[in-house]
Amino acid sequence: AQKITQTQPGMFVQEKEAVTLDCTYDTSDQSYGLFWYKQPSSGEMIFLIYQGSYDEQNATEGRYSLNFQKARKSANLVISASQLGDSAMYFCAMRELMKTSYDKVIFGPGTSLSVIP
Amino acid sequence: DGGITQSPKYLFRKEGQNVTLSCEQNLNHDAMYWYRQDPGQGLRLIYYSQIVNDFQKGDIAEGYSVSREKKESFPLTVTSAQKNPTAFYLCASSLRIWGDNQPQHFGDGTRLSIL
């Protein structure tokens, strides 16, 4: 069963506008972490932002913020003041605490964001 | 600067050939991972290692092998048993294998194709 859903395969945003990338997840664990990564066309994965399941405040990192709604199991990424360099694939990921010593990280299918001048 | 180095950037494999992808990190991380990415898809875990001389299978380990003889190195061998090896391969590391606030750091990837 897919545990991370990103319903927007592709998104367009005007330069300098804000954009929200959706992510919903499925877990029965109480303790977990949510991550967003950016993957430019060159291929490397760049860590953007983290939200812990017990964090009461939404995470923010510069122009990135995470709209965390625990009851709805959603962790949407908000990018403010979009720039041309924001054009990339964006992946939502979840880290579940396993019963073994390994925390499994599950990635969503990604959303392709294109910033229009 | 600390980081993860993957080589080569592009690799071509002939039928029946084993090929090895290199991954080196100087972040002093305990945990290392190999992922496979197919076009338009997320990442799938091949193997992971939490300590030297120890590694475990991920979700799609068949046709792959790894070793962890040094903390900083985690090479991946794509064997001839992997019938569909064409993909983008990403190596990652993290401070430790558990703990929910530790992000993974990634290399720039290796693109493998069949000749």
Side-chain angles (χ1 to χ4, degrees), chain A residues 31-33 35 37 39 41-45 47 50 52-53 91 95 97 101-105 107-110, chain B residues 9 33 35 37 40-43 45 48 50 59 88 90 94 96-104 106-108:
Chain A
S31 181
Y32 51 89
F35 304 81
Y37 288 88
Q39 187 180 40
S41 57
S42 51
E44 76 271 29
M45 295 281 282
F47 166 68
Y50 163 81
S53 58
F91 291 94
R95 178 177 231 145
L97 276 174
S101 59
Y102 167 57
D103 291 354
K104 188 167 185 177
V105 180
F107 287 83
Chain B
K9 195 171 180 67
Y33 315 78
Y35 289 95
Q37 185 179 26
Q41 296 188 30
L43 278 62
L45 182 67
Y48 64 96
Q50 50 187 327
D59 299 320
F88 188 56
L90 282 160
S94 64
R96 54 181 187 264
I97 205 120
W98 50 269
D100 65 350
N101 64 345
Q102 298 299 317
Q104 293 171 314
F106 286 83
D108 290 346

Side-chain angles (χ1 to χ4, degrees), chain A residues 14-59:
Chain A
Q14 202 76 36
E15 194 178 5
K16 300 180 185 176
E17 298 289 313
V19 63
T20 297
L21 306 183
D22 295 341
C23 172
T24 57
Y25 58 91
D26 181 27
T27 181
S28 56
D29 289 346
Q30 295 301 309
S31 181
Y32 51 89
L34 297 156
F35 304 81
W36 277 92
Y37 288 88
K38 171 185 178 180
Q39 187 180 40
S41 57
S42 51
E44 76 271 29
M45 295 281 282
I46 303 166
F47 166 68
L48 297 177
I49 196 166
Y50 163 81
Q51 179 85 42
S53 58
Y54 291 116
D55 293 342
E56 293 185 353
Q57 298 211 352
N58 287 341

